[in-house]
Amino acid sequence: MTPRTEKLSFESQLHAIAKLHRKGASGVSISLAISDALDALLLSVFQSSRLKGQKGIALVTLGGYGRKELNFASDVDIMLLASDESVKMSVAPAVNDFLHRLLDHGVDVGHSVRTIHECLEVADTDFEVWISLLETRLLVGDKPTFLRFEKALHRHDASNKLEFLKRLLSSVQSLHHKYGHSAKLLEPNIKNSAGGLRDLHSALWILRGTNTLTLKQLAKGQTATTTMLRADNVRTLVHSDLVRQALKAFNVLLRVRNEMHLQAKNLHDTLEFSFQRQIAEALSYRSTTSTTSVERFMRDYYIAARSVGQFAQRISAWAEDKFLSRRDRFPKSSKDRSSRKVNEFFSSKSGKLDLRGNGRAISND
């Protein structure tokens, strides 16, 4: 097929996926469909370029694309991974050919070309790059090169996990300070506010950056986040009910974000008052005699955000307890580790509440 024909075919696929979304398909299934359609297009372009058959070069997906969690207007990031500098130099003309072919197909991607060594060097100086490397997914190309990269990154993360964790937890706090600490904001950012998608990503990064969770090639029908939420070792860290709620919430947030992108016709993640009714009605929320469509929609959003926030907090608390010292966690607190009675149920120790004795049943209501 010609570039124009493939471009039109890809746009037709996205149109069909949007129809499935409007018919009520789950958020995860739609994100997977978008990612799979883009995979097929990039694979076709790669195979028709001068990169085909080149040794020591691999096409790797990053970020949301690496997680297979694209929404309709998500940024798309890829990396051409070279085994070493000599390969990088020798394939430079072929890489330019590939990138020009992507433009001919109407595909706008963020791209980088790095050796394995450069990936690790940049990870030490750019935390955003470090995070993105945790979400790499091999699409096509030299598999031995990608496997060497994975092993090198694993060793890098194992020797730097404390630094990674401290920087990640600090970045989460900064993000919530900017976009809101509450899961019940009146105009939330569905990606970055507390309880948003970024909280789930942060939980994934904690588990990946501490080498607690490994993500090999994603199974069919799974994203990186659903793989995390279904992992056996994660269910030993967080109660199964909360994991189940977080998985349901993930679907809700993806579905809402898909609709936001379709309605705005671009990358738009803030649920402003003026936007909420439009999204609610597009997602088939209807007013009743006692409740408006917006109220019903936002209630479901808040329930989802609360579940996501609680899951992320549990993972963060576990990581802090396991990997960080008291000085790292409470730099301004005293060194006193004694337990102090708060009331008949709780005592305070090391900056946290403990249930006194065996306690007794306390309602969740």
Side-chain angles (χ1 to χ4, degrees), residues 155-174:
R155 290 193 298 269
H156 174 273
D157 294 345
S159 61
N160 294 280
K161 66 175 63 176
L162 295 184
E163 176 66 17
F164 174 83
L165 188 57
K166 286 189 285 187
R167 292 176 69 177
L168 178 57
L169 294 175
S170 176
S171 71
V172 170
Q173 290 180 347
S174 298

Side-chain angles (χ1 to χ4, degrees), residues 3 6-7 10-11 13 35-48 65 98 102 105-107 139:
E6 284 195 303
K7 177 183 177 181
F10 177 64
E11 292 174 350
Q13 289 180 67
S35 301
D36 288 342
L38 188 57
D39 279 358
L41 179 59
L42 263 63
L43 180 59
S44 175
V45 176
F46 185 94
Q47 297 290 20
S48 65
Y65 187 23
F98 170 70
L102 286 181
H105 285 73
V107 180
L139 183 57

Side-chain angles (χ1 to χ4, degrees), residues 22 34 70-76 108 189-191 254 256-272 275 278-279:
R22 290 276 164 75
I34 297 171
L70 290 179
N71 299 106
F72 285 101
S74 293
D75 293 329
V76 176
D108 183 17
N189 184 295
I190 195 168
K191 180 179 178 180
L254 283 180
V256 172
R257 193 175 191 231
N258 279 326
E259 187 59 44
M260 292 173 69
H261 288 186
L262 287 174
Q263 293 288 341
K265 295 182 174 59
N266 58 35
L267 181 61
H268 189 98
D269 288 332
T270 302
L271 272 169
E272 299 97 344
F275 205 28
Q278 188 176 343
I279 300 301

Side-chain angles (χ1 to χ4, degrees), residues 281-331:
E281 293 180 353
L283 292 176
S284 300
Y285 284 88
R286 298 293 179 260
S287 298
T288 66
T289 55
S290 59
T291 313
T292 68
S293 60
V294 172
E295 289 171 333
R296 297 178 67 203
F297 162 60
M298 292 304 294
R299 179 184 61 197
D300 285 352
Y301 168 80
Y302 291 138
I303 291 172
R306 182 182 63 187
S307 296
V308 166
Q310 289 175 345
F311 175 85
Q313 288 166 10
R314 298 288 175 85
I315 294 296
S316 295
W318 163 81
E320 289 177 7
D321 287 343
K322 184 172 179 64
F323 298 107
L324 300 185
S325 67
R326 174 178 167 79
R327 180 177 298 177
D328 290 326
R329 287 180 285 153
F330 310 110

Side-chain angles (χ1 to χ4, degrees), residues 13-32:
Q13 289 180 67
L14 291 182
H15 184 67
I17 294 169
K19 284 186 175 181
L20 290 175
H21 161 76
R22 290 276 164 75
K23 290 180 179 179
S26 71
V28 168
S29 66
I30 294 301
S31 288
L32 281 168

Side-chain angles (χ1 to χ4, degrees), residues 66-80:
R67 296 189 304 270
K68 299 198 77 170
E69 295 170 4
L70 290 179
N71 299 106
F72 285 101
S74 293
D75 293 329
V76 176
D77 295 299
I78 61 172
M79 176 173 68
L80 278 304

Side-chain angles (χ1 to χ4, degrees), residues 341-360:
K341 179 179 178 181
V342 176
N343 57 31
E344 62 177 308
F345 297 115
F346 297 102
S347 61
S348 173
K349 184 178 181 180
S350 297
K352 294 187 176 182
L353 288 176
D354 286 334
L355 189 63
R356 301 182 67 229
N358 292 326
R360 67 187 188 201

